[in-house]
Amino acid sequence: MFKFLTRTVWILSMVSLFADLASEMLYPIMPLFLEDIGMTAAGIGLLEGLASLVAGFGKAWFGSLSDRLGRRNIFVRLGYGLSALAKPAMGLFPMVGPVFVARLADRVGKGMRGGARDALLSEECSPDNRGKVFGFHRSMDTIGAVAGAGLALLWLHYRPGELGALFLVAAGPGLLSVLIAMLLPKELSANPSKEPKRPFRGIFQFWNQAHPHYKRLLGAAMAFAILNSSDILLLLKAGESGLDAETVVGLYLFYNVIYVLASFPLGGLADKIGFKPVYVASIVIYGVCYVAIGLANAAWLYWVIFGIYGCFTAANEGIATAWLTKVIPKEAKATGIGLYSFLENFAKFVASPLLGLLWLSFTGVIAFQIVGYLALGLGIVFIFLLPNKTRK
């Protein structure tokens, strides 16, 4: 039953668990921290948009370079290492400029490791367990997120005014993730390309030769990404609705619990019924959540919405990547995943600042409802646009 859990899958899952523990200790308090150092909703949206863009650019660049060099482990280790060092820097220098740079450096690390890590996971898959492998990895990743959010909640309870110090505490699990990454099995002899190591040439060559289903899936992912703003803005909306800091972090913890419980079952469901129905359902759930967030006026509604939102994330993130890997040749896995991440994150670069501007121009209520109804319409379009079956 669990034969798909190879050594590589276990190690990468544990690495992600501790890396996400470090990240999610900080993520739910990030809106409070950024407001404390003087950033507005529009500024936070810009920062998160740039962070997404940098991560996507890095995933494309380093993903293509990983394919051309025939190496994965080095990119995984360096990427997690850079992120582990960037997090405490935000606590050491709590000013807009240094925090901006450190946040972007953290995302460079994410981009550096992302394509190579997903390529390693894909290489451990068979056609009938792809959803399970990626779903399990996302589940372990999210267990770290649950633990991290729980620690953030405890920190706020006992040390409510010491947000910056938590960034230093997060260095511990971040560095532990790097140590675990050193346990990855030694790679087989590399077969690097004889062409010059120009990563973006490899990206464009891949696009010209890509399967039509890959292009359609990529286009759909980009269309949705334009609406998929940073979750930090969801937390900011909850806080501006009158919920205190501990409740906001509790909501994020609850969201991650639902996410971890749903990731593996939904991955298995996608293996059985196909990736399209699960992915399209995730877009519809996203739209419902955003419309509801815009209308929510009571704390209990936020608990319901964040629980449903956890189902969206579980049905969207790992599923999208697993679906795409079905139509990418083995020798170009990291390049194809990297191109997807770059274009998706470029679209997200628009999404967060756009929601922030809508927020300032109208209200948070109207901004979230606009995005929600657009997502619902997009979900209906995807029923007819996306392929029903893809090659294995």
Side-chain angles (χ1 to χ4, degrees), residues 102-153:
R103 176 66 173 155
L104 296 183
D106 178 33
R107 298 298 87 183
V108 170
K110 182 178 179 65
M112 185 180 294
R113 67 187 183 246
R117 181 202 62 208
D118 289 345
L120 281 173
L121 285 171
S122 179
E123 289 163 7
E124 299 297 307
C125 295
S126 65
D128 61 345
N129 68 17
R130 193 173 302 272
K132 290 190 182 77
V133 168
F134 280 88
F136 177 79
H137 176 261
R138 295 306 300 170
S139 293
M140 295 295 283
D141 183 286
T142 312
I143 287 173
V146 170
L151 289 172
L153 188 60

Side-chain angles (χ1 to χ4, degrees), residues 329-390:
K330 180 179 179 180
E331 67 276 7
K333 289 291 185 188
T335 301
I337 295 167
L339 177 58
Y340 155 66
S341 182
F342 170 61
L343 293 178
E344 181 192 40
N345 282 285
F346 183 80
K348 286 185 178 182
F349 168 65
V350 177
S352 294
L354 179 61
L355 182 58
L357 288 173
L358 286 171
W359 195 327
L360 287 181
S361 301
F362 303 101
T363 63
V365 172
I366 294 174
F368 278 94
Q369 286 190 73
I370 289 172
V371 173
Y373 284 119
L374 288 173
L376 288 171
L378 200 59
I380 294 171
V381 171
F382 283 176
I383 293 173
F384 305 99
L385 175 67
L386 294 178
N388 290 312
K389 293 184 179 181
T390 51

Side-chain angles (χ1 to χ4, degrees), residues 195-260:
E195 297 180 23
K197 304 298 184 292
R198 298 175 184 175
F200 276 113
R201 173 186 288 183
I203 291 169
F204 292 122
Q205 286 178 344
F206 170 78
W207 174 258
N208 290 334
Q209 300 167 5
H211 192 277
H213 284 171
Y214 174 88
K215 295 180 180 180
R216 288 169 67 183
L217 295 175
L218 196 63
M222 279 191 65
F224 172 61
I226 293 174
L227 303 177
N228 190 8
S229 56
S230 170
D231 292 344
I232 281 181
L233 295 173
L234 285 173
L235 299 174
L236 188 62
K237 173 65 169 60
E240 292 204 351
S241 297
L243 304 182
D244 60 35
E246 286 189 39
T247 302
V248 171
V249 176
L251 284 170
Y252 191 68
L253 174 60
F254 177 60
Y255 151 77
N256 276 298
V257 169
I258 299 300
Y259 180 11
V260 71

Side-chain angles (χ1 to χ4, degrees), residues 133-197:
V133 168
F134 280 88
F136 177 79
H137 176 261
R138 295 306 300 170
S139 293
M140 295 295 283
D141 183 286
T142 312
I143 287 173
V146 170
L151 289 172
L153 188 60
L154 289 173
W155 187 272
L156 281 175
H157 182 74
Y158 290 105
R159 298 176 179 269
E162 302 178 26
L163 298 182
L166 188 57
F167 286 80
L168 304 181
V169 175
L175 292 174
L176 182 56
S177 72
V178 180
L179 293 177
I180 297 173
M182 302 303 293
L183 300 176
L184 282 168
K186 184 177 180 181
E187 294 176 281
L188 300 176
S189 299
N191 293 307
S193 169
K194 295 181 180 180
E195 297 180 23
K197 304 298 184 292

Side-chain angles (χ1 to χ4, degrees), residues 71-86:
R71 296 294 184 189
R72 309 292 191 208
N73 291 357
I74 184 65
F75 294 98
V76 172
R77 291 163 179 162
L78 288 177
Y80 281 108
L82 180 57
S83 292
L85 294 175

